[in-house]
Structure formats: structure tokens, C-alpha cells
Amino acid sequence: MILRKKRVKPMRIQDITIIDDVKLKKAITAAALGNAMEWFDFGVYGFVAYALGQVFFPGANPGVQMIAALATFSVPFLVRPLGGLFFGRLGDKFGRQKVLSVTIIIMSASTFCIGLIPSYASIGMWAPMLLLAAKLAQGFSVGGEYSGAAIFVAEYSPDRKRGFLGSWLDFGSIAGFVLGAGFVVFISSIVGEHNFLEWGWRIPFFLAAPLGLIGIYLRNALEETPTFQQHIDTIDKDAKSSLQAPPKVSFREIAATQWKSLLSCVGLVIATNVTYYMLLTYMPSYLSHSLHYSENRGVLIIIAIMAGMLFVQPVIGLMSDRYGRKPFVICGSIGLFLFAIPCFIMINSGVIGLIFLGLLVLAVLLNAFTGVMASTLPAMFPTHIRYSALAISFNISILVAGLTPTLIAWIVEETQNLYMPAYYLMLVAVVGLLTGLYMKETANLPLKGAAPAAADKAEAKELLQEQYDNIEHRIEDIDNQIQQLEKKRQALAAQHPEIN
């Protein structure tokens, strides 16, 4: 049998994808809004955990009530890998846009339903069971939400702007937190603490309905990403020529071929989201329960911190396009390790200015991770398995992060040591540092298995020239290696009488 070599055609300007600016803005808006919807619920849940504890677990003491409410927050993370596996397969087969339209429907509906659940006093054990069912539905849908949204933005972004544009996804996350927290404070201040515990806590969850409708409208109006569409066109062409369907890729095969990328993904997600949940979900309860601040006062501090994060977030993304993603992961991890204890010393000082400063330092360090995560993770995997690989690895690693509020609340309650959160963050910082050191740099490079993408034709020409220059450098390196090998050969041959 004669094997014919597949002829590789030289890259031309037509092979570089020019991104439509109007479609790009729509894609970022729709993805960020859906992500804001997801984190709006997480924000509301964290800020009303004390109220939910009294409504759904009234027989327990205050400490156990808070732990139980946060446990209900954490349990849905157990089903997120299942959601990631389910929606990841669908996303790689049918497209990113279709899956994201489904996840936002489930997410907004389940959040809205939390506000409808009667209290424990009305229906007994059915109340916490229904709460858990709604949270499990959320967890399943969220399993495909963030991964799909990050991929959607990454596949729509020009290579040179992927860090900046990807940072707006977590801008939506933080904005969702701010909206959720602000709404909780607003409703609580209007209706009073007694009425808030009676019925006012339900109102923030009802806001999920209009937000979800807007998100559904925006996502249904989107077109599929250029990268995935190219992938589908290639598959169709190959299938017609070979009369065979493309082979299915199992997670075992993904793990065997992409294990380095999977480990980098897991490490970055753990470092980012443990810090995220510690600061934005656990700290409101820490300030109110452990430090005995009024709920509104603690929430206002966190709101101010998150508002500051909104300004830092796109700046980190923009700088990562220039200096790379790795430096921010490494510096953020080192900073977290060095400043975790000093920050909690300030937080526990009782001085409002020092409390604010301690939380602000942690928030800026968190920005170092969130500013690059959405642009880094999708670039680790090739197009045909990107959704499946990222969704599964992301949601498996987020199991660790999702347990953070419950685990830390329990540890602090058992040990009565208010510095346990700092030690926990130091451990996570080590994971982040190792990840930053060993992960591959992806800034300004095309996505794996995809053609280069540019913002306009002038940038496409520059990318093409860079591609040619890179090929020339690689050929020069190979030529140098050949010369060195030839010298070694000659030196060895000179020692043998029968080899010239």
C-alpha cells in the first residue's frame, strides 16, 4: 500500500479569520450577562445565608444555621461535573450558542423558584429539600455555563485582544455579585430586618426572571463562533470525502492526550475560585457571624470592594495581552501567600479602615487570577474537544472551591481560630504558584486547532508576517541542530576506521 503525504499549503491572508466587531460586542455582552446571572444568585445566596438559615433550619443554633445554609450552597457543586460532561458533549457536537441558550433558561428558572419555596414553619422538611432541589438544578446548568461562555468569548476574540475581551466575562461575574449584594441591602433597608426575614429575602431571587429573559433573548440572537463554524465545515468536508462520521472522543482519551492542560486547568480554577468564594461568599458571613458586624455593614464593605474590582478587572486583561498570562498567575499566587495573614490581621483589627484595606488587598490579588482565567482556559484545548475537556476539568476542580464557604465556616466554628481562612488561602497560593510556573503561555497565540484571528485586515497582515517569521526562526533552529549533529557525527566517524 502506498501512503501519500498530505500536501500542506502555505498560509495566506485568506486563512486568517477577520472578526466582525458588531458580532464580537454582542457575543461578549450575552456571555457576560449570563455569567452575571449565575453569580447574582451566588452573591444573593452568600449575603442572605443568615436569613436562609433561620427560614429553612430554624431549630439549630446560629452557627449551625449558617453552616447548613452554606452547605446547601456547596452541595450543588457535586452535580456540576455531571452538568459539565452533559453540556460539554453537546457543546462540542451541536455548538456553543445552542448550549448557552439552554443553560441560562435552567439557571434563571431555578433561581426564581428559590424565592417561591415556603418556609420550614409552613411545610416542614419539604422546605430545605425543595431548596436543595433548586440548587441542584442550578449546579447542573452552571456546569456548562461558565466553560461555554469563556469558550464563546475566546473563539470570537482576535488573538491580540483575547485577554482584554475575556476579562469582561468575569467582569460580569463581579457585577452580578455587586447587583446581588446591593439589592439585598436595598430591600433590607426598605422593609426592615423583621420583614426581610419573613418575606423580603425572596425578592432578590425573583429578579432572576427579568434578567434571565434578557439573557435568553441576547443569546438566541447570536451566531455560532467563527472557530467552531470552521471546525464544522472541516468535519463536513472530511466526512464527505471519506464517507465516515467524525470519531467520538472519550474523556479517557482526553485525559491521556491532554493531561498537562487538564492539570493546568484544575490548578488555575482551584486557585481562582477558592479565593473567589472565600472573599465574596464566605466573608459576608464571617464579618457578621464571627466578627459580629451587622449584616448590612458587612455587606456594604464587600460591595465597595467589589466595585473597586470592576475597575481593575479589564486593566489586568489588557495588560495580559502585552505581558502574558503567566506573570499574573505567578505574582497573584506569591502575593496571596505573603499577604494572607497580614490581611486577616487587618480584617480582625476592628478598625473599619484596616478591615477595608485587608479586603482590598485580597480583592486585587483575586483580580490577578480572574483577569486572565477566561482567556487562558479555552486556549489550553483544541477545538474539537474544547468544551468537553474544559467543562469537565473545570467542574471537577470547582468541587474543591465550592466547598470553601462550608468547610471554612465549620473549621472556624470548631477551632475558634479566626485565622484559619488565611492559612487556607496560603495553601491555595502554593497550588496557584505551581500552576503558573508549569502552564504554557497562550497570550497572542491562535487557539489550538484554529486559524489565527485578527480584528481587521491590517492586523491580519501583521499576524501573517509574524507566522512567516516564526517559521523562519524554527527552520533556522532546525538547521543549527542539523549542523551540530553533523559535527557530532564527524567526530564519532573519525574514531571508526570503516565509517567515513
Side-chain angles (χ1 to χ4, degrees):
M1 184 175 65
I2 298 175
L3 295 177
R4 294 183 179 180
K5 293 183 179 179
K6 187 177 180 181
R7 187 177 179 183
V8 180
K9 296 181 180 179
M11 180 174 284
R12 300 167 299 173
I13 192 71
Q14 295 91 334
D15 297 321
I16 296 178
T17 304
I18 307 295
I19 302 297
D20 187 295
D21 193 53
V22 175
K23 293 179 181 178
L24 173 61
K25 290 177 180 177
K26 288 182 179 179
I28 293 172
T29 302
L33 183 62
N35 216 38
M37 176 73 245
E38 172 190 345
W39 291 94
F40 170 82
D41 168 67
F42 287 165
V44 167
Y45 202 92
F47 291 120
V48 302
Y50 74 97
L52 295 178
Q54 296 180 47
V55 172
F56 292 102
F57 310 98
N61 65 57
V64 174
Q65 284 180 350
M66 187 182 72
I67 292 172
L70 290 174
T72 309
F73 168 87
S74 297
V75 167
F77 285 85
L78 297 174
V79 300
R80 284 185 63 159
L82 297 177
L85 178 63
F86 178 77
F87 289 115
R89 288 283 181 87
L90 292 180
D92 282 333
K93 184 175 182 180
F94 299 109
R96 290 56 162 124
Q97 184 268 343
K98 294 181 179 65
V99 171
L100 288 175
S101 297
V102 173
T103 57
I104 197 170
I105 292 173
I106 299 174
M107 197 163 53
S108 56
S110 55
T111 302
F112 180 80
C113 286
I114 292 177
L116 298 176
I117 300 173
S119 66
Y120 185 93
S122 300
I123 59 173
M125 280 300 297
W126 280 105
M129 289 175 65
L130 289 173
L131 175 63
L132 181 60
K135 295 299 293 180
L136 288 173
Q138 281 182 340
F140 188 77
S141 63
V142 169
E145 171 62 31
Y146 182 87
S147 302
I151 290 169
F152 200 81
V153 173
E155 291 185 345
Y156 249 115
S157 299
D159 296 339
R160 291 183 175 180
K161 297 179 181 178
R162 188 167 292 117
F164 174 67
L165 297 173
S167 67
W168 289 98
L169 187 63
D170 282 293
F171 182 95
S173 304
I174 302 166
F177 259 99
V178 172
L179 179 62
F183 206 62
V184 168
V185 173
F186 177 70
I187 296 299
S188 178
S189 62
I190 289 179
V191 304
E193 186 171 351
H194 175 74
N195 288 331
F196 187 79
L197 290 173
E198 286 289 324
W199 51 267
W201 64 269
R202 301 178 184 276
I203 299 176
F205 292 103
F206 291 151
L207 191 61
L211 288 176
L213 290 174
I214 295 172
I216 293 166
Y217 170 77
L218 289 174
R219 289 189 174 180
N220 282 332
L222 291 173
E223 295 181 11
E224 191 52 78
T225 68
T227 299
F228 186 77
Q229 192 57 55
Q230 288 173 2
H231 171 62
I232 291 299
D233 293 341
T234 302
I235 288 178
D236 290 342
K237 184 178 179 181
D238 292 344
K240 287 176 182 177
S241 62
S242 63
L243 300 178
Q244 291 181 354
K248 294 182 179 180
V249 182
S250 67
F251 182 70
R252 179 178 295 180
E253 293 176 76
I254 294 174
T257 58
Q258 304 287 328
W259 63 271
K260 290 183 179 179
S261 295
L262 289 172
L263 287 177
S264 296
C265 176
V266 168
L268 183 56
V269 171
I270 288 176
T272 303
N273 283 281
V274 166
T275 312
Y276 214 141
Y277 291 127
M278 179 77 76
L279 182 63
L280 302 183
T281 301
Y282 173 68
M283 287 310 296
S285 298
Y286 180 83
L287 292 173
S288 60
H289 178 72
S290 300
L291 301 185
H292 309 294
Y293 279 85
S294 67
E295 284 79 10
N296 282 355
R297 190 177 183 185
V299 168
L300 287 173
I301 294 173
I302 299 295
I303 290 175
I305 294 297
M306 289 189 295
M309 290 179 67
L310 290 174
F311 292 98
V312 178
Q313 179 71 12
V315 175
I316 297 291
L318 182 65
M319 292 173 66
S320 77
D321 284 326
R322 181 171 181 180
Y323 301 107
R325 326 291 192 219
K326 285 169 64 77
F328 288 96
V329 177
I330 293 171
C331 292
S333 300
I334 294 173
L336 191 61
F337 186 86
L338 294 177
F339 292 107
I341 291 178
C343 285
F344 271 85
I345 290 174
M346 289 188 283
I347 292 169
N348 294 328
S349 67
V351 180
I352 190 69
L354 291 177
I355 294 172
F356 185 85
L357 181 60
L359 291 171
L360 182 63
V361 172
L362 291 177
V364 172
L365 293 172
L366 174 58
N367 273 129
F369 297 120
T370 60
V372 302
M373 186 169 72
S375 57
T376 301
L377 297 181
M380 293 181 178
F381 306 101
T383 305
H384 68 290
I385 59 168
R386 182 169 293 132
Y387 208 145
S388 299
L390 179 53
I392 295 170
S393 57
F394 182 92
N395 289 294
I396 288 175
S397 52
I398 211 149
L399 284 173
V400 179
L403 293 172
T404 296
T406 307
L407 182 60
I408 290 298
W410 177 77
I411 291 174
V412 171
E413 191 74 15
E414 288 295 311
T415 63
Q416 295 299 306
N417 186 338
L418 297 178
Y419 290 96
M420 282 298 175
Y423 304 145
Y424 197 84
L425 287 177
M426 292 175 70
L427 180 63
V428 167
V430 174
V431 175
L433 180 60
L434 292 174
T435 302
L437 291 173
Y438 288 101
M439 64 184 273
K440 290 183 179 180
E441 183 57 75
T442 60
N444 299 309
L445 297 175
L447 295 172
K448 283 186 178 181
D456 50 45
K457 198 160 187 176
E459 186 175 289
K461 291 179 180 179
E462 293 177 9
L463 289 177
L464 186 62
Q465 187 58 50
E466 287 179 4
Q467 185 78 3
Y468 290 160
D469 292 342
N470 183 48
I471 292 173
E472 290 173 6
H473 289 316
R474 292 175 65 184
I475 291 174
E476 288 176 5
D477 290 339
I478 292 172
D479 288 340
N480 290 333
Q481 291 174 21
I482 291 173
Q483 290 177 8
Q484 292 173 5
L485 290 172
E486 183 62 32
K487 289 179 181 179
K488 288 182 179 180
R489 183 192 181 281
Q490 291 175 0
L492 290 171
Q495 302 174 37
H496 196 289
E498 298 179 4
I499 298 179
N500 295 325

